[in-house]
Amino acid sequence: MKVTILSMAMSILLFAACNNGAKTPDNANNQNDSTLTPNKGDVGAKSTASTGDVLDSYLALKNALTRDDDKSAAQAGNQLVRAIESIDKSSLPATQSKVFADVADDAKEHAEHIGTNAGNIKHQREHFETLSQEIYDLVKAGGSAGRKLYYDNCPMYNDRKGGNWISETKEIQNPYLGKGMPTCGSVKEELN
């Protein structure tokens, strides 16, 4: 009985700690439907369109993981592989081209693992964690396609080691804990 009460108390404390700071007054003004496909950015330049395609696929993958939808995550992973392969590095600005050259192979490998692991969402999330860092580096080099993005963190993921991801909404929608703790996390950085 004591163990049960102690377990319930710990669960309540963890849930409260995780949700602390996740909601801000700005969230009420930036509510978006996470089930929608991310908006396309401006497609004036070929490099912007290509990095925009990579970002669109990444965000579709992130949104599938928030819904615990491993099959859609696998489809988005495969779409991300095609988007990475379609980028013409020579059309990117110099700084972005260098970062893309540094991250493309690893990002593609993680996307391939996600694409081939429908039915194993835990493994998909493991690859998503590292993939998110690669996409963050690309966005920081100017690959946001003119969109406002958010770099979020979940302190609970991976035995409290934490995990980061990029989102198109300020509202926290956790891809690591999915429906179990959908609002766990906070915005670390706003990206333009």
Side-chain angles (χ1 to χ4, degrees):
M1 182 70 172
K2 288 181 180 178
V3 172
T4 302
I5 293 172
L6 183 58
S7 294
M8 289 176 57
M10 290 298 293
S11 296
I12 291 169
L13 286 173
L14 288 174
F15 183 75
C18 194
N19 283 323
N20 190 14
K23 298 281 183 186
T24 64
D26 289 337
N27 285 347
N29 296 328
N30 286 329
Q31 299 285 327
N32 289 329
D33 184 354
S34 66
T35 60
L36 297 176
T37 301
N39 295 330
K40 296 266 184 180
D42 293 334
V43 291
K46 183 177 180 182
S47 63
T48 302
S50 296
T51 56
D53 290 342
V54 169
L55 190 55
D56 285 344
S57 299
Y58 170 84
L59 293 172
L61 169 58
K62 184 267 300 175
N63 289 332
L65 292 175
T66 64
R67 299 187 307 269
D68 298 332
D69 185 349
D70 59 297
K71 290 177 182 57
S72 293
Q75 290 173 351
N78 291 329
Q79 182 182 353
L80 180 55
V81 169
R82 289 189 295 275
I84 291 169
E85 290 174 340
S86 71
I87 289 184
D88 177 9
K89 285 190 300 188
S90 66
S91 68
L92 299 173
T95 304
Q96 200 177 69
S97 180
K98 181 183 181 321
V99 171
F100 182 75
D102 290 343
V103 305
D105 288 342
D106 287 343
K108 184 179 164 190
E109 181 179 334
H110 292 297
E112 287 171 344
H113 275 272
I114 292 167
T116 59
N117 276 282
N120 188 354
I121 198 164
K122 182 179 179 188
H123 191 63
Q124 289 177 321
R125 285 177 168 141
E126 290 168 356
H127 283 280
F128 180 76
E129 180 184 10
T130 309
L131 173 65
S132 293
Q133 182 61 51
E134 310 289 354
I135 300 299
Y136 172 80
D137 291 343
L138 186 61
V139 167
K140 289 292 281 185
S144 69
R147 292 182 241 179
K148 186 168 187 89
L149 300 168
Y150 302 91
Y151 192 50
D152 299 337
N153 173 264
C154 170
M156 301 291 293
Y157 177 67
N158 195 14
D159 293 328
R160 295 182 172 263
K161 293 175 186 161
N164 301 316
W165 73 93
I166 294 172
S167 179
E168 73 280 26
T169 65
K170 193 167 189 174
E171 177 186 3
I172 297 296
Q173 298 167 349
N174 191 316
Y176 297 111
L177 303 177
K179 293 177 182 175
M181 295 181 80
T183 60
C184 180
S186 62
V187 175
K188 287 179 68 172
E189 183 179 352
E190 293 188 12
L191 307 168
N192 293 317

